[in-house]
Amino acid sequence: MTASQKRNLVTGGAGFVGSHLVDRLMEAGEDVICLDNYFTGRKANIARWIGHPTFELVRHDVTEPISLEVDRIWHLACPASPVHYQHNPIKTAKTSFLGTYNMLGLARRVGARLLMASTSEVYGDPEVHPQPESYRGSVNTHGIRACYDEGKRVAETLCFDYQRMHGTEIRIARIFNTYGPRMLADDGRVVSNFIVQALRGEPLTLYGEGSQTRSFCFVDDLVEGLIRLMNGEHSGPINIGNPGEFTIRQLAELVRERIDPSLDFTLLPLPQDDPLQRQPVITLAQQELGWEPTIPLRAGLERTIADFRCRLAA
């Protein structure tokens, strides 16, 4: 490793977002340790790097401490889709709290900078729209989504307490809805749900009337934002997401027209605490990071659909 290379630890590195980040770091000539317990990560996502001299793969659960020598910690480990984080809500809360606690302890011991992947879910079902970083949120502390929402909120708290008490260098990214290649087919997220249903010739499921809104950021744009945040001087939190707002029905229609315009919709009741609106204010990211998304939803969907076609046909 040269003096300019960084030793990077990516927790959740075999997951959807983590594997794309690993790709960017490896392509930049960095030294990467990918840490994952494979709950939602897949070894296939990082298979191209196995055996590379600057890549190491470690099977480990972040709720248990680990000792490593690294310069930067990209802490992405946590199930991020409702299907997966509600599967074992106690484990999800432990991952957010203990996982972040352990990674902050590691960062403090070795003097590493830590970027924590927080979420737009800290805003809950927002009463302020769109959501700036200054908004403190409207979260149901005992609902079925609280294990994730409150878990990430306390993870942010831990980060800032470590910064205040120990001088630990932290970066907090509040990630909004992200999509792209390598999403799991069964993750319950709306983009993957619609694409998989359409490719299988099934009706597309809308909850309520599909009038709730989301803002969809392509994974390449997200990774660029994370890299700029890690390399920048602002601790955050900073919203990283695409401010383009679409209703869920609009998304369903875009997917349907690209795969099979004859498909019908199935209407089901809204899940508990499902946010009705989600749209980031990205002024801070534009000012502090010089970042904004560049890939429009239609272009990103084309690449995501092509990836799902390939994997479902295998």
Side-chain angles (χ1 to χ4, degrees):
M1 187 173 71
T2 66
S4 62
Q5 281 178 300
K6 298 294 184 182
R7 293 169 296 179
N8 297 273
L9 171 63
V10 182
T11 74
F16 162 48
V17 172
S19 63
H20 285 276
L21 174 61
V22 167
D23 286 350
R24 281 288 303 273
L25 295 173
M26 289 297 295
E27 289 161 0
E30 301 276 9
D31 192 270
V32 176
I33 301 171
C34 171
L35 188 150
D36 209 295
N37 69 351
Y38 303 123
F39 176 56
T40 58
R42 296 293 181 269
K43 193 175 289 187
N45 290 340
I46 41 81
R48 63 183 288 207
W49 302 116
I50 294 175
H52 193 284
T54 64
F55 179 79
E56 184 176 354
L57 179 59
V58 178
R59 184 167 191 154
H60 183 81
D61 191 314
V62 292
T63 61
E64 300 293 335
I66 191 169
S67 294
L68 297 164
E69 291 295 326
V70 294
D71 302 304
R72 291 187 171 179
I73 300 170
W74 309 75
H75 181 38
L76 276 60
C78 188
S81 71
V83 167
H84 292 135
Y85 68 64
Q86 291 171 19
H87 173 72
N88 187 338
I90 295 172
K91 177 69 171 178
T92 297
K94 286 176 65 178
T95 300
S96 289
F97 179 79
L98 288 176
T100 303
Y101 172 75
N102 287 330
M103 289 303 111
L104 284 164
L106 175 61
R108 180 191 176 195
R109 287 192 299 274
V110 301
R113 178 179 295 180
L114 179 142
L115 182 148
M116 199 275 285
S118 188
T119 173
S120 62
E121 297 303 320
V122 299
Y123 299 123
D125 188 5
E127 298 169 345
V128 171
H129 188 75
Q131 293 82 55
E133 292 86 353
S134 59
Y135 177 52
R136 296 183 180 181
S138 174
V139 176
N140 178 358
T141 61
H142 50 80
I144 60 173
R145 301 170 69 102
C147 59
Y148 184 65
D149 301 1
E150 289 296 314
K152 288 296 189 179
R153 286 163 70 95
V154 76
E156 288 193 14
T157 301
L158 274 173
C159 287
F160 281 99
D161 284 339
Y162 262 78
Q163 182 188 62
R164 284 186 285 262
M165 290 185 66
H166 305 302
T168 307
E169 281 195 84
I170 62 164
R171 302 289 185 268
I172 308 296
R174 287 183 177 163
I175 298 173
F176 281 68
N177 293 71
T178 304
Y179 71 101
R182 301 180 197 159
M183 297 182 79
L184 292 175
D186 62 349
D187 67 5
R189 302 188 203 200
V190 65
V191 173
S192 52
N193 278 356
F194 287 158
I195 292 174
V196 170
Q197 287 177 330
L199 289 173
R200 290 174 175 167
E202 301 169 355
L204 276 58
T205 302
L206 294 175
Y207 294 94
E209 295 295 324
S211 59
Q212 61 271 48
T213 68
R214 296 291 185 272
S215 303
F216 302 102
C217 185
F218 192 67
V219 66
D220 290 1
D221 281 333
L222 171 67
V223 168
E224 177 65 26
L226 296 180
I227 290 171
R228 293 192 187 200
L229 177 59
M230 177 65 96
N231 292 336
E233 299 302 319
H234 199 288
S235 295
I238 290 184
N239 290 339
I240 305 292
N242 193 320
E245 186 180 24
F246 294 84
T247 68
I248 300 302
R249 182 177 285 272
Q250 285 175 318
L251 173 68
E253 289 169 348
L254 284 172
V255 171
R256 184 174 65 170
E257 75 181 36
R258 278 157 179 74
I259 297 175
D260 185 351
S262 69
L263 294 174
D264 292 327
F265 294 131
T266 297
L267 301 183
L268 295 177
L270 276 173
Q272 180 186 340
D273 297 329
D274 191 46
L276 298 180
Q277 294 177 303
R278 183 70 81 233
Q279 182 187 18
V281 174
I282 64 166
T283 304
L284 193 58
Q286 291 169 322
Q287 293 174 345
E288 296 293 335
L289 310 179
W291 177 88
E292 60 185 2
T294 61
I295 301 169
L297 180 59
R298 287 167 177 80
L301 282 176
E302 295 287 357
R303 291 168 61 179
T304 308
I305 290 169
D307 175 69
F308 271 105
R309 280 191 196 275
C310 182
R311 286 188 287 142
L312 292 178

